[in-house]
Amino acid sequence: GNLYTAAGNTEAAVAVYRKMLVRRPEDLDLLRRLASVHHIAGQWGRAATVYERLKDLHSDDVQVFYNLGLVYDRMGAPEKAILAYRETIAADPQHVNAHLNLAIDLVETRQYEDALRVCGQFLALAGDHEKRKQVEEIVKELRSALGDKAGIAE
């Protein structure tokens, strides 16, 4: 499967991993590889299904939670992505990119007070992250939009 993936033949890689999973249906490594191939191929629904299976089998894998959030974002399901990013942060409170993506999805779903709080958490963790200035601008816009409520959300 790895060779097919490296060669860009995702269909063949999927076929190999599925065949191997028939004999070892709960093999976490094979499931991760299958999810990754679907993710690389832009097969968001299939990737989400495998990541959900992985989450059920291995409920403390931070990368699975995070990747699930990414896939749900690609599927246009920010509410589900928000849940996945929250799980990521619960398992790893220092996960900078989960904070960033959570804040973006909260803005997208108009949960502005929560978005402002998460932006603050991102900024506290971000150091010189490439998105820092963008998030600082979002914070300014959120504070302006929220007015008096902004002080409560910080």
Side-chain angles (χ1 to χ4, degrees):
N2 289 341
L3 294 175
Y4 288 124
T5 303
N9 189 345
T10 56
E11 285 183 34
V14 166
V16 168
Y17 292 136
R18 286 196 183 280
K19 186 175 182 178
M20 294 171 75
L21 282 164
V22 167
R23 284 183 254 127
R24 300 187 320 236
E26 296 189 3
D27 185 313
L28 298 176
D29 184 54
L30 286 176
L31 287 166
R32 279 189 195 93
R33 291 175 192 215
L34 178 60
S36 178
V37 172
H38 285 311
H39 197 141
I40 290 166
Q43 299 168 339
W44 313 123
R46 291 178 179 176
T49 298
V50 180
Y51 283 131
E52 287 286 359
R53 174 96 171 109
L54 272 164
K55 190 174 94 167
D56 291 344
L57 292 172
H58 192 59
S59 62
D60 62 350
D61 189 327
V62 173
Q63 197 60 42
V64 168
F65 300 149
Y66 182 69
N67 287 343
L68 192 55
L70 295 175
V71 168
Y72 282 137
D73 274 337
R74 292 296 200 138
M75 292 172 67
E79 296 84 5
K80 288 184 176 183
I82 286 169
L83 294 174
Y85 294 135
R86 288 190 191 282
E87 287 180 297
T88 305
I89 293 166
D92 179 5
Q94 306 299 309
H95 200 295
V96 176
N97 288 327
H99 281 87
L100 174 63
N101 292 337
L102 175 58
I104 291 167
D105 284 339
L106 289 168
V107 169
E108 184 179 329
T109 58
R110 301 174 193 251
Q111 299 177 56
Y112 300 130
E113 290 179 41
D114 203 12
L116 182 58
R117 184 183 55 75
V118 174
C119 282
Q121 292 169 346
F122 168 82
L123 291 172
L125 297 170
D128 61 352
H129 193 281
E130 64 182 296
K131 300 284 185 177
R132 184 177 186 86
K133 289 200 184 302
Q134 179 185 349
V135 172
E136 288 171 346
E137 288 301 314
I138 292 170
V139 166
K140 286 179 191 174
E141 291 175 22
L142 287 170
R143 283 188 176 145
S144 175
L146 289 170
D148 291 338
K149 292 181 185 177
I152 297 167
E154 294 180 74

